[in-house]
Structure formats: structure tokens, C-alpha cells
């Protein structure tokens, strides 16, 4: 049975978050950024003085952690909520991004988030993006995409995102950081980044946001026939 999910996977700064948001808005459905879950866990760990590399301490912390996507008001977009708090922009710092990559390698963290993610796709179609949505979380997703871009395009996009890079960052330094993140994400033993065999490959290197959205919509419409 197919899950009510449009899965969009891809590496860091590939444009998948923007594409997923635009797709969800166009289709009038809920958008879920699973990366925010790992950022929220990393943020809570930092608040408690727990190292993002201390798997035992992070696992213990999760025993008293609640994590969900909720709306602050009926008209608000869905956002990550941890222990009743919406961290918002506090999750967008480069330090939290790196810590999130660390905690995402922990089996206890992946197990903790897996059930939460799967429970989100019940009765209505949703857009969910991340690193392992089409391979691990929803291998039976109704639609699967693997969105990527050239290293230079990804570095440029990350460099132009507010708060995502440290002061003084250059295109070369950001490209090097992204390459290291790719290596960590693709080589981890738990839910590594990879393209699902049945996912549609989309290279957005030379595409505008509107063009990328059009590509996704075209495939969805074609698959519905």
C-alpha cells in the first residue's frame, strides 16, 4: 500500500526545502522538514550542555523529550515543536546545523524520529523532505524525488541563506563544508543519504525555484495518469 507522501530527498543546500515548501503550497498540503527534527534535538542538547557527539547522553535526554510538528495558531505554518517550545530561527545557525548532522548519525535518534515521521502520514497527502525519506522512512511513498545540484550551486545557495554560514565564509569554504557534510551523511551506518532506486532524479543547478517546482509538478501529474 502506498503511503500518502511526496518524498523529497537530497544533500545539503540542494534546494529541496524550498522546492518542498513551494510544492506543498501549490498543492495545498502540509510540508514537513525532517531536518528540523535533528536540529531541534541538537538545540535542546546544546541548551543542556550535552555534546552532540555524546550518544549516551543524547539518548538519555530523549527519554524526556517530546517532538512534533504543530501550528502555533490555526493560520500558522506547521513548525517543529520540542517540549512545547518552537525554537524557530534558533535552529538556523551553522553550529546547530553541524550538531544536527552529528546527532542524526545516532541509532537512538533515528529510532526516536522514525515513528514520529511515519505517524504524520495518515489520511492526507503530505510533502516530506530529508535525507532518507524515500529509502527508510517511507520506502512506499506515493511519489519520490531525489533533488540535487552542482557543488558550486549548492555552496552559493548556502552562502546566501541568512544565518547558515559563519561570518567571513567564502564560496570555497562553504563548498568544503558541504563536501564534508555530504561525506558524513552518505557514509553513516544508520539511514545514509542515497537515492532510492525508484526516485526521480532532479538536478536544479541551473533552475529557478519556479522551474524546479514545474518539474516536480509535471512528474506528479504524469504519474497520476
Amino acid at each position: 500500500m502506498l503511503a500518502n507522501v511526496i518524498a523529497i530527498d537530497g544533500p545539503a543546500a540542494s534546494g529541496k526545502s524550498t522546492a518542498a515548501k513551494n510544492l506543498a503550497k501549490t498543492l495545498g498540503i502540509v510540508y514537513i522538514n525532517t531536518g528540523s527534527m535533528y536540529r531541534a534535538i541538537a538545540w535542546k542538547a546544546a541548551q543542556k550542555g550535552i555534546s552532540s557527539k555524546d550518544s549516551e547522553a543524547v539518548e538519555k535526554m530523549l527519554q524526556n523529550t517530546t517532538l512534533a510538528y504543530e501550528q502555533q495558531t490555526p493560520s500558522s505554518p506547521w513548525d517543529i515543536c520540542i517540549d512545547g517550545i518552537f525554537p524557530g530561527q534558533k535552529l538556523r545557525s551553522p553550529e546547530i546545523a553541524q550538531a544536527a548532522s552529528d546527532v542524526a548519525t545516532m541509532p537512538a535518534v533515528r529510532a526516536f524520529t522514525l515513528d514520529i515521521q511515519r505517524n504524520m502520514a495518515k489520511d492526507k497527502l503530505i510533502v516530506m523532505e530529508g535525507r532518507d525519506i524515500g529509502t527508510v522512512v517511507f520506502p512506499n511513498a506515493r511519489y519520490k524525488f531525489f533533488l540535487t545540484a552542482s557543488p558550486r550551486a549548492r555552496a552559493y545557495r548556502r552562502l546566501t541563506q541568512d544565518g547558515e554560514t559563519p561570518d567571513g565564509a567564502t564560496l570555497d569554504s562553504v563548498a568544503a563544508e558541504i563536501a564534508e557534510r555530504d561525506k558524513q551523511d552518505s557514509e553513516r551506518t544508520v539511514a545514509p543519504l542515497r537515492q532510492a532506486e525508484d526516485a526521480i532524479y532532479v538536478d536544479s543547478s541551473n533552475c529557478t525555484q519556479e522551474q524546479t517546482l514545474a518539474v516536480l509538478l509535471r512528474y506528479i501529474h504524469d504519474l497520476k495518469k
Side-chain angles (χ1 to χ4, degrees), residues 3-164:
N4 287 315
V5 177
I6 299 174
I8 302 180
D9 289 315
S14 61
K16 62 184 183 298
S17 295
T18 299
K21 285 180 186 176
N22 291 340
L23 184 60
K25 183 177 180 180
T26 301
L27 297 177
I29 59 180
V30 175
Y31 155 66
I32 302 295
N33 177 349
T34 59
S36 293
M37 291 184 167
Y38 306 109
R39 289 185 181 232
I41 291 170
W43 174 78
K44 179 179 177 178
Q47 298 301 299
K48 290 185 169 294
I50 298 172
S51 169
S52 61
K53 298 182 183 296
D54 189 339
S55 58
E56 185 175 342
V58 171
E59 182 174 359
K60 185 176 180 180
M61 182 191 78
L62 292 178
Q63 295 173 8
N64 296 297
T65 298
T66 59
L67 192 66
Y69 270 87
E70 299 179 0
Q71 292 173 287
Q72 296 191 55
T73 69
S75 59
S76 299
W78 292 75
D79 202 0
I80 195 67
C81 179
I82 185 166
D83 298 337
I85 300 171
F86 290 90
Q89 284 299 116
K90 295 176 182 177
L91 303 184
R92 308 315 302 176
S93 73
E95 294 78 17
I96 293 300
Q98 179 54 56
S101 190
D102 291 336
V103 302
T105 66
M106 301 176 184
V109 171
R110 306 304 296 202
F112 179 78
T113 58
L114 184 61
D115 286 341
I116 298 172
Q117 292 164 3
R118 286 179 173 168
N119 285 333
M120 291 176 184
K122 293 293 186 180
D123 303 320
K124 297 180 180 180
L125 184 67
I126 65 172
V127 177
M128 184 175 287
E129 58 106 338
R131 301 287 197 280
D132 63 342
I133 310 307
T135 54
V136 176
V137 184
F138 289 106
N140 59 335
R142 189 170 297 276
Y143 307 107
K144 294 183 188 179
F145 296 96
F146 189 86
L147 185 63
T148 190
S150 69
R152 187 173 183 83
R154 291 165 56 205
Y156 177 78
R157 290 170 184 172
R158 179 52 56 86
L159 195 60
T160 57
Q161 290 176 329
D162 290 339
E164 288 287 340

